Amino acid sequence: MMSRSYTNLLDLASGNFPAMGQPRERKRLPRVMTVPGVISELDDDVANSVASDVPSSVVQDRIIIVGNQLPVKAKRRPDNKGWSFSWDEDSLLLQLKDGLPEEMEVLYVGSLGADIDVSEQDDVSQVLLDRFKCVPAFLPPDILSKYYHGFCKQYLWPLFHYMLPISGNHGGRFDRSLWEAYVAANKIFSQRVIEVINPEDDYVWIHDYHLMVLPTFLRRRFNRLRMGFFLHSPFPSSEIYRTLPVREEILKALLNSDLIGFHTFDYARHFLSCCSRMLGLEYQSKRGYIGLEYYGRTVGIKIMPVGIHMGQIQSVLKLADKDWRVGELKQQFEGKTILLGVDDMDIFKGINLKLLAMEQLLKQHPKWQGRAILVQITNPARGRGRDLEEVQAEIQESCRRINDTFRLPGYEPVIFIDRPVSLSERSAYFTIAECVVVAAVRDGMNLTPYEYIVCRQGVSGSESSSEPSDPKKSMLVVSEFIGCSPSLSGAIRVNPWNIEATAEAMNEAISMADSEKHLRHEKHYKYVSTHDVAYWSRSFYQDMERTCKDHFRRRCWGIGLSFGFRVVALDPNFKKLNIDQIESAYIKSKNRAILLDYDGTVMPQTTINKTPSQEVISIINTLCSDVKNTVFVVSGRGRDSLGTWFAPCKKLGIAAEHGYFMRWSVDEDWENCGQSNDFGWIQIAEPVMNLYTEATDGSSIEKKESSLVWHHRDADPGFGAAQAKELLDHLESVLANEPVAVKSGQCIVEVKPQGISKGSVAEKIFTSMAGSGRQADFVLCIGDDRSDEDMFESIDNAMASDILTSSKSVFACTVGQKPSKAKYYLDDTSDVINMLQALAEASDPPPSP
């Protein structure tokens, strides 16, 4: 049964939205794609892979930057006839070009911050493509409102900033029509990308939470597309994110990217925790790079805070009007100590908390009354809603109260600037401020401290800059909940909710000795000047190159419906086991070895009753009755349960507990294959396991005849994995001198005698067959987990050492599409049963008595 969270997602993915009118069919942009045989596929939305075998005629790499808004300003001409366009120099998407290779062509896809009439859209598209290499995505008004102001700003933005919609009046409750609009808008963006892409040559870099499902739309069309995504907002903890009704859809869509970027390790850690708890994916760190294995693809995780555009700020610092404004401000605030705040007007910037801290500072330290001034610059709000109106009212009331209480002739402690402020004027305020205060309760990055540091450094030759002999100095009081906080080690970090502590931090900052301010400034400036926006984009692009380098070497295909869609990427030599092929080899062979794992291979892992079905017993009996066959079940389970379950299979060989016990048929005794019968180590290992079992809710110990297994499948995933790692280290330490091996597996830690593995079982079977003159010319080995990899490796060794015949047919097969030493795979246990059934039907009948 399909989850309710997937309601109509087949419609969503194909663009059928009953609640919204279909957008008018527009003339498409001139095609830039050079890959043959693809254009005809653009007019439908079938999730076919587009990957031509004919190489593209474009030889240089190109990158398509996709963001919610293009880095272009649109302005209606004075005569009201047409539009004029110019670059938005403040746009991060434009600034990141500086870090990309000089010869790389950059194309932008995004919406315009202007309402373009439908009749003008084609002409505007052509102008933007020709002059700016920009491709606009025009969203119908009903979709735009629900997508941006609805789902993005009223739902995702608050949730990603840790604000849960506890009531209808507090944040936005989930509304499925807004989610449908979000999907519809992402699909429109995907269509614009598809119109101009060269899938074999281009990189695609998607930005921010507005476009989190776009990777799925693009991956459905181009399986091998090289694609990165960077989230500029916080990613909340899993407890918050898991409240999202479409949590798995968004998570799986992001995993269709090749590289996912975050500002801080905290944000990345929260994302990885969600992948672990909801999708069962565990990350690995190799040589400094973090990766998630997702259906054979490695999805890279990039942690790199964005920087500022040094050139832009330094050019502003040289402007004459900025120098004039600095002089004006110095005169206005002569003899005063300026604390500065520069924030967007939104509910998470903590502006009122900063005002309350200023009020507390003046109360607790009266010496600053008449001397300290907080200048708060507030950029216009980008969102809207009742919460924002309440915050604005609180801010106005706080400003009025503080000024009424502490006002003196010629002195107002709070100056509130509630209007757009140019970069030039903002730089002037930065230059004269003794300290910048950022009290956001949650913020993705916040580059205000970086801009302040560069402005305090100044540029040589500027009239406003200090004399060369004067030490540069700056001070920062920053919230510990903002993305730039970890990189500013010299800042005073505060919990903005603690008004008293924030006030004390502000006092400490402006009271600090100049020499200390200078040292902190130097440290910050060295970091900010070297980790600018170009450094950030260069680093992300290089990681995207590295992550995608094997794309065209691997075999890829898409599976799954709607947002369950994902691409499976496998080594070219790794392929699905073809029943006709194995059946043909089976019929031609004379001596066959068939080795079968049990759990996860012939018995589904999710089944509670592990007793084999009559169908499985019948198939195995048929295979065993063929005199050419040697059939073994090789399992980690105990010999009692396996012996009972397979009692009807008289000629079946069983290797229990990974081969510690073996028997060749029901009529033969169990053989002990261990090198030692000394189990004194159990007295050491069991108390240690008991300790971790008591401390880890949901864990348990399984006692076998030859081994001990600690299970944590039912424990909290994060805590269970951490405890398993600790237990592994603990056991390896206390059992270092014992004849045992300590291994970790899927939700288990196992202690077993040395020299016992499924690989040694396979080697014994092959050697025994060769010794009796029945050298195997057909090998089928199937398993699903890490312990079965030992069998696959043993087969490779047997082939190299001539234990098998030279004319052998070998089928090492894993269950599930995943990296493995096996050369073949089958999708699930039902595929395994079907294949074994086909071999049973091709078997010779038992000889007559």
Side-chain angles (χ1 to χ4, degrees):
M1 180 178 174
M2 193 172 286
S3 161
R4 282 193 62 82
S5 69
Y6 279 79
T7 304
N8 293 330
L9 278 179
L10 295 178
D11 286 337
L12 296 185
S14 59
N16 299 324
F17 301 99
M20 305 170 204
Q22 292 293 326
R24 184 180 74 91
E25 191 66 33
R26 290 189 296 101
K27 183 178 78 176
R28 291 186 183 274
L29 285 178
R31 184 74 178 162
V32 182
M33 179 180 282
T34 59
V35 179
V38 173
I39 297 178
S40 62
E41 298 180 23
L42 290 174
D43 295 322
D44 60 52
D45 286 306
V46 180
N48 289 330
S49 165
V50 178
S52 169
D53 292 328
V54 183
S56 165
S57 62
V58 178
V59 291
Q60 76 175 46
D61 283 335
R62 184 176 68 164
I63 191 166
I64 299 175
I65 308 289
V66 192
N68 176 56
Q69 200 158 325
L70 289 170
V72 170
K73 295 178 180 176
K75 189 177 180 182
R76 195 77 180 172
R77 286 184 181 146
D79 58 5
N80 212 32
K81 294 180 180 177
W83 295 83
S84 61
F85 301 100
S86 61
W87 287 115
D88 180 0
E89 300 292 340
D90 294 332
S91 171
L92 176 68
L93 302 189
L94 181 64
Q95 294 171 355
L96 65 78
K97 283 178 65 175
D98 288 4
L100 300 176
E102 205 169 307
E103 69 281 1
M104 174 169 271
E105 182 185 358
V106 179
L107 205 64
Y108 293 101
V109 176
S111 63
L112 269 173
D115 186 14
I116 309 294
D117 190 80
V118 173
S119 61
E120 299 177 294
Q121 289 178 3
D122 288 336
D123 293 335
V124 166
S125 296
Q126 195 62 58
V127 169
L128 288 173
L129 182 64
D130 293 343
R131 290 178 49 199
F132 296 90
K133 292 186 179 175
C134 288
V135 181
F138 298 110
L139 303 179
D142 55 339
I143 291 182
L144 175 61
S145 177
K146 290 183 174 182
Y147 150 72
Y148 184 75
H149 293 293
F151 195 74
C152 287
K153 284 298 179 184
Q154 289 181 24
Y155 195 76
L156 275 185
W157 175 257
L159 189 75
F160 276 33
H161 288 73
Y162 289 73
M163 180 177 169
L164 290 172
I166 302 300
S167 69
N169 295 328
H170 182 72
R173 286 282 173 85
F174 181 77
D175 181 337
R176 189 158 293 276
S177 70
L178 301 184
W179 162 244
E180 291 175 355
Y182 182 81
V183 175
N186 275 248
K187 185 175 182 193
I188 291 170
F189 278 91
S190 76
Q191 290 166 342
R192 304 303 276 163
V193 173
I194 288 169
E195 287 176 3
V196 294
I197 197 170
N198 292 310
E200 308 255 334
D201 298 306
D202 292 349
Y203 289 89
V204 176
W205 187 358
I206 303 166
H207 290 264
D208 224 1
Y209 65 98
H210 314 87
L211 301 172
M212 288 196 294
V213 300
L214 179 57
T216 286
F217 285 112
L218 295 178
R219 189 66 72 192
R220 284 170 67 87
R221 290 302 291 257
F222 311 114
N223 285 351
R224 289 187 176 90
L225 182 63
R226 298 176 290 186
M227 177 165 48
F229 179 93
F230 197 93
L231 183 68
H232 294 273
S233 78
F235 194 94
S237 69
S238 63
E239 286 77 10
I240 298 291
Y241 181 80
R242 288 189 338 237
T243 65
L244 184 62
V246 288
R247 60 192 190 178
E248 288 192 15
E249 290 88 322
I250 290 177
L251 214 54
K252 289 176 179 177
L254 288 175
L255 289 169
N256 275 317
S257 305
D258 295 301
L259 183 66
I260 305 172
F262 300 92
H263 285 307
T264 72
F265 174 68
D266 272 351
Y267 303 161
R269 179 168 54 85
H270 295 157
F271 174 78
L272 293 169
S273 175
C274 289
C275 290
S276 171
R277 290 174 178 273
M278 281 179 264
L279 304 178
L281 303 177
E282 298 299 333
Y283 74 91
Q284 290 184 327
S285 183
K286 294 180 181 177
R287 299 194 174 186
Y289 297 107
I290 299 174
L292 279 168
E293 285 296 322
Y294 188 57
Y295 292 94
R297 293 170 52 241
T298 299
V299 179
I301 303 298
K302 176 73 173 173
I303 301 166
M304 175 64 69
V306 72
I308 58 174
H309 194 283
M310 290 291 294
Q312 182 192 27
I313 293 179
Q314 287 177 339
S315 64
V316 167
L317 291 176
K318 295 176 183 177
L319 293 177
D321 63 339
K322 177 260 175 186
D323 285 340
W324 170 82
R325 185 67 173 131
V326 168
E328 190 179 55
L329 291 174
K330 282 184 175 179
Q331 186 177 352
Q332 178 184 347
F333 298 117
E334 188 175 2
K336 304 293 190 293
T337 298
I338 304 301
L339 296 100
L340 179 65
V342 180
D343 301 279
D344 292 338
M345 174 55 78
D346 77 43
I347 59 178
F348 301 108
K349 290 300 187 283
I351 297 173
N352 196 51
L353 295 176
K354 189 189 309 180
L355 294 170
L356 295 176
M358 181 64 185
E359 183 178 33
Q360 184 71 17
L361 169 69
L362 296 174
K363 286 179 182 177
Q364 293 295 111
H365 302 278
K367 66 179 180 179
W368 292 114
Q369 294 179 18
R371 292 171 55 200
I373 296 175
L374 173 63
V375 177
Q376 176 61 50
I377 298 173
T378 307
N379 303 318
R382 282 181 278 184
R384 58 195 184 197
R386 185 183 305 169
D387 292 328
L388 187 59
E389 292 169 4
E390 290 175 358
V391 167
Q392 288 174 314
E394 279 183 3
I395 291 170
Q396 295 293 345
E397 170 57 27
S398 295
C399 288
R400 184 196 59 75
R401 184 184 67 254
I402 296 169
N403 283 334
D404 286 350
T405 304
F406 298 101
R407 184 182 286 115
L408 296 171
Y411 169 77
E412 284 205 348
V414 175
I415 296 176
F416 189 71
I417 302 173
D418 188 15
R419 60 173 171 80
V421 174
S422 68
L423 179 57
S424 175
E425 185 177 3
R426 193 164 76 234
S427 300
Y429 275 103
F430 282 141
T431 303
I432 60 110
E434 193 69 22
C435 175
V436 156
V437 184
V438 182
V441 296
R442 192 71 60 178
D443 207 352
M445 187 59 196
N446 199 314
L447 295 175
T448 296
Y450 288 13
E451 292 180 359
Y452 166 63
I453 290 160
V454 175
C455 290
R456 290 290 284 182
Q457 180 73 14
V459 289
S460 58
S462 171
E463 291 179 23
S464 63
S465 64
S466 304
E467 294 298 319
S469 58
D470 291 346
K472 315 292 183 183
K473 57 185 189 294
S474 61
M475 273 309 298
L476 291 165
V477 174
V478 299
S479 164
E480 63 191 57
F481 303 120
I482 64 175
C484 67
S485 174
S487 60
L488 298 170
S489 57
I492 302 175
R493 299 191 184 102
V494 295
N495 172 5
W497 298 103
N498 188 335
I499 304 299
E500 291 78 11
T502 305
E504 286 304 315
M506 291 162 67
N507 175 60
E508 181 186 353
I510 56 180
S511 303
M512 191 175 288
D514 284 355
S515 58
E516 179 67 18
K517 291 179 183 178
H518 170 66
L519 291 173
R520 296 185 184 222
H521 171 81
E522 288 291 307
K523 186 176 187 179
H524 287 158
Y525 183 74
K526 183 178 180 182
Y527 175 85
V528 172
S529 59
T530 54
H531 292 71
D532 61 355
V533 67
Y535 178 89
W536 167 76
S537 62
R538 186 183 309 115
S539 179
F540 189 90
Y541 172 71
Q542 288 171 349
D543 270 22
M544 192 155 50
E545 269 191 318
R546 178 186 54 79
T547 306
C548 300
K549 69 180 186 299
D550 289 337
H551 267 31
F552 298 101
R553 188 185 67 81
R554 314 193 85 178
R555 293 165 54 244
C556 301
W557 62 92
I559 58 174
L561 298 172
S562 186
F563 287 109
F565 176 85
R566 64 272 188 198
V567 165
V568 175
L570 300 171
D571 189 278
N573 298 321
F574 188 57
K575 51 191 175 184
K576 187 166 185 176
L577 187 57
N578 182 286
I579 291 182
D580 291 338
Q581 178 189 1
I582 190 172
E583 189 176 345
S584 172
Y586 181 84
I587 293 170
K588 294 175 184 174
S589 58
K590 296 179 181 178
N591 294 300
R592 311 176 188 123
I594 300 174
L595 282 61
L596 307 173
D597 175 41
Y598 187 65
D599 291 281
T601 301
V602 294
M603 174 60 63
Q605 290 279 16
T606 53
T607 303
I608 296 176
N609 181 7
K610 296 296 185 180
T611 306
S613 65
Q614 278 304 115
E615 180 188 21
V616 169
I617 295 293
S618 174
I619 291 171
I620 290 179
N621 259 331
T622 304
L623 291 172
C624 291
S625 65
D626 190 326
V627 294
K628 297 178 182 177
N629 294 344
T630 299
V631 185
F632 259 82
V633 168
V634 186
S635 172
R637 286 190 172 272
R639 59 178 172 174
D640 290 342
S641 53
L642 290 173
T644 302
W645 290 340
F646 290 103
C649 304
K650 304 298 183 185
K651 297 180 181 179
L652 174 67
I654 297 176
E657 298 191 22
H658 298 298
Y660 189 84
F661 297 107
M662 279 184 70
R663 77 175 186 196
W664 290 80
S665 68
V666 168
D667 299 331
E668 297 189 32
D669 293 330
W670 287 99
E671 177 186 345
N672 185 330
C673 301
Q675 298 172 355
S676 168
N677 290 322
D678 180 10
F679 288 97
W681 56 266
I682 292 179
Q683 309 305 318
I684 303 172
E686 191 171 7
V688 174
M689 284 192 176
N690 282 329
L691 185 69
Y692 283 82
T693 305
E694 290 169 12
T696 313
D697 188 40
S699 65
S700 61
I701 300 174
E702 180 188 0
K703 297 180 183 178
K704 299 179 181 179
E705 291 183 70
S706 68
S707 63
L708 286 177
V709 186
W710 187 76
H711 295 266
H712 61 94
R713 185 179 298 278
D714 296 329
D716 176 271
F719 184 54
Q723 290 289 81
K725 186 174 183 302
E726 286 295 318
L727 175 60
L728 184 72
D729 291 343
H730 196 156
L731 289 171
E732 284 179 340
S733 174
V734 299
L735 297 172
N737 297 320
E738 300 295 328
V740 294
V742 185
K743 298 270 180 97
S744 64
Q746 196 168 15
C747 296
I748 65 163
V749 174
E750 183 174 20
V751 184
K752 60 183 180 181
Q754 285 177 346
I756 299 300
S757 73
K758 291 186 177 182
S760 61
V761 173
E763 186 180 342
K764 283 177 186 172
I765 293 170
F766 299 148
T767 305
S768 176
M769 290 178 67
S772 62
R774 297 180 59 245
Q775 197 174 22
D777 59 358
F778 174 96
V779 176
L780 170 62
C781 178
I782 314 178
D784 77 306
D785 68 13
R786 191 180 300 174
S787 65
D788 299 308
E789 296 295 315
D790 292 336
M791 282 200 290
F792 304 146
E793 187 173 2
S794 180
I795 291 173
D796 290 339
N797 295 337
M799 291 166 65
S801 59
D802 296 328
I803 296 176
L804 307 178
T805 63
S806 56
S807 58
K808 67 266 181 188
S809 297
V810 176
F811 299 91
C813 178
T814 187
V815 181
Q817 300 166 2
K818 58 182 180 286
S820 171
K821 293 173 184 172
K823 294 292 183 357
Y824 298 91
Y825 74 91
L826 289 169
D827 287 325
D828 49 35
T829 55
S830 61
D831 271 4
V832 175
I833 300 300
N834 290 338
M835 185 271 298
L836 293 176
Q837 179 67 53
L839 297 187
E841 291 173 0
S843 299
D844 294 337
S848 302

